[in-house]
Amino acid sequence: MSLDTMRAAPRRPFHWREFVQQAWFIVSVSALPTALVAIPFGAVLALQAGNLIRQFGAQSFTGATAVLGIVREASPVVTALMIAGAAGSAICADLGARKIREEIDALEVLGIDPLHRLVVPRVAACAFVAPFLNGLVTVVGLIASYLFNVVAQGGSPGSYLQSFNALAQPSDLWVAEIKAAVFGCTAGLIASFKGLGAGGGPKGVGEAVNQTVVFSAMVLFAENFLISTVYNQVVQ
């Protein structure tokens, strides 16, 4: 189905209205939870990094380790989990409901490709929105990390900000954005596949939604490991 979706993506006409509606829906259901989840991620990372750095007597590098962990690893993972849990489950439920109501079969009878009409705009919307959500997670996580380090741990604001560029580099942000786009595309494909394959009435749709979240999380963590490994081998 992924290959068929890729072949259907360049086909005209592209359904821009469906794409905009799905993108706005993903933002509406994912933005607030993503920002809220980023706060404890940034705080916990600042706590663990601060404790570790203090043991080595390098408190001035707390900001560098925090920004490295948040930008490169935490932000794409949080974004992926939110898209899979919030947007992916909604996409799967929508397509699954259409499937059991036989709307998908009706489209095929009318000669309309369901992948081109329904799946391509949803997958494109997930891949488009994910980098923006990743930027939101990065900003919120860094602010939470800064506040926790300075207020709760008594760190120096100047040394925290000055050490940002000590370990991190612009390529870390770019690879995080690429990760987010790949994760969004993957979550959209898995949600669409499980939704179009749903059967057995409402119970089957519920099972497909649960499987979407579980499978998406498993695949996204595997992709994160592979992309990080390749990046470390090529760039570092």
Side-chain angles (χ1 to χ4, degrees), residues 48-181:
Q48 298 297 333
N51 292 336
L52 181 62
I53 290 298
R54 271 197 300 270
Q55 294 179 10
F56 291 97
Q59 291 89 342
S60 60
F61 284 92
T62 303
T65 55
V67 71
L68 189 65
I70 292 173
V71 171
R72 187 187 295 181
E73 298 298 334
S75 296
V77 171
V78 171
T79 302
L81 293 178
M82 288 297 102
I83 288 182
S89 59
I91 291 173
C92 178
D94 177 44
L95 294 180
R98 293 172 184 260
K99 178 66 176 180
I100 64 174
R101 291 198 303 262
E102 298 183 352
E103 293 182 17
I104 305 300
D105 297 332
L107 289 176
E108 293 176 346
V109 170
L110 294 173
I112 300 175
D113 185 6
L115 296 181
H116 181 248
R117 179 64 181 83
L118 299 175
V119 175
V120 170
R122 285 164 171 76
V123 174
C126 288
F128 176 76
V129 171
F132 293 98
L133 290 179
N134 180 72
L136 175 64
V137 175
T138 301
V139 173
V140 175
L142 289 177
I143 293 175
S145 174
Y146 171 81
L147 293 176
F148 190 84
N149 177 262
V150 173
V151 176
Q153 295 181 311
S156 172
S159 63
Y160 187 94
L161 295 176
Q162 290 177 359
S163 64
F164 263 36
N165 295 328
L167 298 177
Q169 48 189 332
S171 59
D172 294 326
L173 179 60
W174 288 113
V175 76
E177 293 290 272
I178 294 174
K179 279 184 180 181

Side-chain angles (χ1 to χ4, degrees), residues 12 25 46 68 83 87 90 92 122 128 154 170 182 185 196 201 215 236:
R12 296 196 177 192
F25 172 75
L68 189 65
I83 288 182
C92 178
R122 285 164 171 76
F128 176 76
V182 172
C185 181
L196 293 178
F215 291 160
Q236 300 300 318

